[in-house]
Amino acid sequence: MEWPAGADDDTPECQDASAATLAIVNESLHTVAVEDGLVESVLHWLSARPDRELGVWTLTGLIENEQTARGTEGGYFAVWATRGDPTSATFDDPIFWVSGVASSLTRFGPLLPAYVGASDMEDVPPAAIGCGTTRARTP
């Protein structure tokens, strides 16, 4: 497979997505919350990882809402993907969901072929979760 747009052998494995990418995902989270009467969820960051095997960037975020913010849980990971460069300040490419949790929280379509197994995160590339876990530890 080839590297996704904006990535090559020298691209860091894990980095922050741009504010433009984060804004697109948060707007979709907001829209779904309003339309479906859900608790509003907010992402404070997205980790971006170029996945050469899939030919996409994976985007992992820690979902927080008023329930998780109360400290009952620490939030939970959701994973999206894009073929565009999510580190670009002018990002406006399509985003797709990878994990089942992300499908219920955004109006983005699934990445085809869908990488969703019996559990929400079963077929998510482990490195995407690794990047999200590392980023979650960074203030």
Side-chain angles (χ1 to χ4, degrees):
M1 237 342 163
E2 292 186 23
W3 287 108
D8 59 28
D9 288 331
D10 296 325
T11 302
E13 183 170 320
C14 302
Q15 57 188 304
D16 281 347
S18 70
T21 306
L22 184 61
I24 291 170
V25 175
N26 274 328
E27 179 59 32
S28 187
L29 289 168
H30 172 75
T31 299
V32 170
V34 169
E35 290 176 1
D36 295 347
L38 301 173
V39 174
E40 179 108 20
S41 299
V42 176
L43 293 174
H44 297 290
W45 52 263
L46 277 171
S47 66
R49 179 186 177 277
D51 190 312
R52 189 174 188 174
E53 184 177 321
L54 298 178
V56 299
W57 288 83
T58 55
L59 304 168
T60 307
L62 187 65
I63 300 288
E64 297 179 2
N65 57 41
E66 66 182 37
Q67 292 171 339
T68 59
R70 289 187 201 131
T72 56
E73 302 174 28
Y76 49 92
F77 287 120
V79 182
W80 294 272
T82 184
R83 291 181 178 90
D85 181 356
T87 64
S88 167
T90 59
F91 178 84
D92 66 354
D93 290 286
I95 295 175
F96 308 92
W97 59 264
V98 175
S99 74
V101 171
S103 70
S104 64
L105 294 172
T106 62
R107 294 282 188 248
F108 303 133
L111 176 66
L112 296 176
Y115 291 91
V116 179
S119 78
D120 286 340
M121 302 305 264
E122 183 175 284
D123 288 335
V124 170
I129 299 300
C131 285
T133 301
T134 299
R135 178 59 179 88
R137 293 183 187 135
T138 307

